[in-house]
Amino acid sequence: MDAPADDLDLIGRRTAQRASVVRALIDRGGFVGARALHDELRIQGARVGLNTVYRTLAALVDAGRADVVRDRGGERLFRHRPFPGHRHYLLCRVCGLSMPVDSEAVEAWAGRVADASGFAEVEHTVELSGLCPQCRAS
């Protein structure tokens, strides 16, 4: 199955390799590192270089079509964002389960800080991690 055309239109030149990366990220569902995604693509027989994976993921983030968080080791993990809009996630440090969280208070606070400082185009990153109920029970 092909990657959504609108995702490819947003990230520059359309290539079969970029389409493979986007489709693999969508199919993955949750957060995944670039190297793990590259490994999955290779196992599936796709001929995509690791640099192409990194560049495509970065372009998706820049276009607002992927979310990114960092794991405990500092690796960037990516997840496809089907609709534009900033989201925050709670990420399990053990199994990697992620769930979107209501972040209205964070967004309002960031807006107030931007207004009070006179800054424009303010961006922020909020990372929440912990143990999901299943991992906590183990």
Side-chain angles (χ1 to χ4, degrees):
M1 184 190 269
D2 292 331
D6 57 335
D7 283 346
L8 293 173
D9 289 341
L10 292 171
I11 62 171
R13 206 174 99 219
R14 284 177 176 238
T15 67
Q17 291 82 9
R18 281 184 163 210
S20 294
V21 173
V22 173
R23 174 49 50 202
L25 186 64
I26 291 169
D27 290 347
R28 186 60 150 72
F31 283 97
V32 64
R35 288 183 187 271
L37 190 63
H38 179 253
D39 289 345
E40 289 177 18
L41 286 162
R42 282 190 18 225
I43 289 168
Q44 296 169 8
R47 297 180 60 116
V48 178
L50 182 57
N51 285 335
T52 298
V53 173
Y54 276 111
R55 283 193 307 268
T56 302
L57 292 172
L60 286 168
V61 170
D62 290 345
R65 296 311 291 249
D67 294 310
V68 63
V69 297
R70 290 192 186 271
D71 69 7
R72 282 184 108 167
E75 180 184 6
R76 293 175 55 156
L77 305 176
F78 302 86
R79 175 176 164 162
H80 183 257
R81 185 188 307 162
F83 305 104
H86 183 71
R87 296 186 80 178
H88 296 282
Y89 295 89
L90 183 56
L91 186 66
C92 179
R93 290 189 298 258
V94 175
C95 71
L97 173 72
S98 64
M99 56 188 293
V101 296
D102 177 18
S103 59
E104 204 170 296
V106 171
E107 300 302 329
W109 170 78
R112 288 192 308 274
V113 169
D115 290 343
S117 68
F119 276 62
E121 298 182 34
V122 171
E123 297 177 358
H124 63 275
T125 302
V126 175
E127 295 183 11
L128 302 168
S129 65
L131 299 178
C132 72
Q134 187 172 356
C135 290
R136 199 173 84 212
S138 297

